[in-house]
Amino acid sequence: MTHALRSGRRLATVLLSIGLAAVLASGSVLAGTPVTEGYRDHAYGGGAFRPSSDKPQSKTWFADGSWWAGMFRYSVSPSISEFRIYKLSVDGATWTPTTTVVDGRDASHGDYLWDQGASTLYVASVPPVNTSAPFAVPGTPDDIRFFKYTYAAGAYTQVGGIKSIAGTASTASPAFRGGAYSVTIEKDSSDRLWVVWAKGTAVMYSYSDDDGVNWSAPAQIPAQAANPINSDGLVDSDIASVISFGTKIGVAWSDQDDSGATLGADNGFYFAVADAGVADPTLAGSWSLEQLPTLNQVGNTQIADNHINLKKTSDGRVFMVGKTGRDTVACATGKQHPLVEFFQRTAGGTWSAHLAGTVGDCNTRPQIAISEQLEVAYMFMTSPNGGGTVYVKSAPLTGPEAFKFRGVADQTIQRGTPFIKSATETLIDDPSTSKQTVTATSGIAVIANNLTSSAGGNAKVYLHNVMDIPASDGTAPTGTVSINGGAATTSSQAATVAVPATDAGSGLSLVKLSNNSDMSSSSTFVYTTPIAWTLTAGDGVKTVYVQWRDAAGNWSSVANDTITVDTSDTIAPSTPGVPAHTLFGSGRFGVPVRITWTASTDNIGVESYELQRSIDGGAFATVATPLTNGYSIDLSNSAHNYRFRVRAFDGVNYSAYRTGPTFRTISYSESSTAVKYSGTWGLSTSPVYVGGKARVGSVAGRSATLAFNGNRVAWLSRTGPTYGSARVYIDGSLVKTVNLNAATVTDRKMVFVRSWSAVANHTIRIVVVGTSGHPGVVLDQIFVLR
């Protein structure tokens, strides 16, 4: 399967958004709606809580040429509230539910294991720990459940019904709190199935030697018995995960040492190893215990958090990503301390630890995807802590660039490259990937969920993105360098360096900047653009040198840009006036808007302006550097909220930005239900019209009326020798007779514009005059700003 997208690549046509209130009420699918990076999917609603979590679990798998996922489906009418199997469309845009139900318990979290050889899907699922106070047995059972599905011809069929692992549900007598914060499932090389979870102070397991028909009584991993954990607390609860590698089975867990006299003495990540199919897992001698190394441990500072994700390769290596638990409030202090660590266990059993993120990066809930073909690890993480954007970092697993996911542990913030990001969903969290190694055939698919906020403005929806990866990559990225937007001079050593680049192979990973042509004294960053940079001291011509690295470790050749530092002029231009907007132009490529502002003044003269735009509350990005105090731009025909800001430049100094008000563009087409017609208006089809169609009225008195809310309105039409006149009424009063007759044809011409000082409700009515011999009046679009 070849995906149509890479991270950051968007569909050219943006679909119209569906009202979220309607989605939550009906369960309609927000399918394949592009966001800033990736796609917005359906609402998860109901009693589901963070359904794409938890950290050790995998929700996606690749089978029969398609990506599949375990996702929550919710609908009020018909009443649906359950986890189902979903299938991703070939273009990577849309998840579609199948009829196969997994767990009907809303708050449960499942781990999905695909067995390619057996064409079988295994799932282990459990609701959260029972923390009722006073203690009570919940109405919905909270036991660990096992599900098995065989796959054939595009369909999953459940086999053997739902299996409950005995002794894992809450009971009144004896009093026992069931549930677990996470459960994972694995199949070892002897075909034994393992389910592992953390409970109380123990890491527990159950196994099945008959493909899930019968399960052993829950037991503690013997190697963990002398090292109690804390897994039932409301916060800082330890978790565990299981993985099969070679002829071994391994269980990893976190020990945060939240209580007890040995606080800090044995905190960290642990890994217990046994032979696949071991005859008696309850014997201590069946297991060996390994403690993972850590980076820069300071005294007894906690170095393990309950964030674990395990992956493996076919040669017996094991990889794990974990958090140190050194988060500070808003990640504002101790920014240089390691926060996210990437671990490798060689086939010979040796562990190593590598820096993936610092406290300043504020990454959380990391998950790994491994490409054996490329020998590359991709790491998907949320930032900031508490939800925001899913970022990706990547690094080779071998060679001189092995495990270099970011620059050194310093104060710079290197969150990663945005992979799932939205202007309207601002609390995206809990990325989830597959247990499988990824290939050029599969690419990578990642799902996530948006969290809700007490302040409002966020809703329960899934999001996802996909990326293609090649089978091999020996080609380096290419990019360009621009200092201060291409300015010739500056008065400051503080500069902004734009470093846009592309990579057709494994994907951009790092970028390195230096003031020296040999790239000495350089600084390396996770790829992003632009980057704040300090030029060398003194006046004169300065050069910045840049290289880019892809995920496979290929470094580009060195590119550079120059700028002249001149500190003799330290007076910045005055701040421009507030950017104003109006409808102006032809409308050939969207909604035509003219942005104007009062000109700046400067002691040596203004050289240019920098105009930036924000779309739907997103980050400002430069759209033009006009030489005068005005700029015309065509905005999307889809409804969006825009805001512009501008600053002046005198060739050396920039003024402060001046930001204009937010306004919304709305384009009503000829077929919009908001436009009301009297009599018959013919439908004309031609590529010269916006959307390929327009209405044509030719009978005197026929009218088209639109009621709207805004402070700007314009009528887009066609003029030419075969067209006549129309009267335009605003709020019931005739304001203009528009003559569409002309010697030559002009398409998408704005023939009428009206504006008001404030947003209010208005109507526009276009009435056909019926000019003798050429009565036609064309309604292509009506533009509204508000």
Side-chain angles (χ1 to χ4, degrees), residues 202-220:
V203 176
M204 306 293 292
Y205 71 90
S206 177
Y207 67 88
S208 171
D209 285 327
D210 53 12
D211 209 30
V213 176
N214 297 285
W215 288 87
S216 68
Q220 183 178 15

Side-chain angles (χ1 to χ4, degrees), residues 298-436:
V298 181
N300 287 330
T301 301
Q302 180 176 295
I303 52 87
D305 200 355
N306 61 349
H307 295 239
I308 290 175
N309 192 250
L310 290 167
K311 295 292 165 26
K312 64 186 176 185
T313 48
S314 58
D315 60 3
R317 287 174 293 169
V318 174
F319 303 95
M320 191 184 101
V321 63
K323 272 182 67 177
T324 64
R326 290 195 178 120
D327 315 50
T328 57
V329 176
C331 300
T333 58
K335 293 182 179 181
Q336 76 281 7
H337 291 163
L339 180 63
V340 178
E341 297 173 320
F342 182 86
F343 303 93
Q344 176 188 240
R345 184 186 191 274
T346 66
T350 301
W351 285 97
S352 59
H354 311 274
L355 180 68
T358 64
V359 171
D361 296 343
C362 215
N363 295 134
T364 189
R365 296 179 175 258
Q367 292 230 342
I368 314 167
I370 301 291
S371 167
E372 287 195 62
Q373 292 173 326
L374 293 171
E375 275 291 294
V376 166
Y378 295 90
M379 191 179 309
F380 300 92
M381 299 173 283
T382 299
S383 191
N385 202 339
T389 296
V390 173
Y391 293 87
V392 59
K393 295 179 180 179
S394 56
L397 298 174
T398 56
E401 294 297 309
F403 312 119
K404 294 181 181 178
F405 289 95
R406 60 153 284 156
V408 297
D410 57 17
Q411 297 283 341
T412 60
I413 297 174
Q414 302 183 34
R415 290 179 170 177
T417 303
F419 188 73
I420 304 176
K421 182 178 181 179
S422 171
T424 51
E425 287 74 41
T426 60
L427 295 175
I428 305 170
D429 210 343
D430 305 306
S432 189
T433 60
S434 171
K435 292 181 182 293
Q436 302 155 287

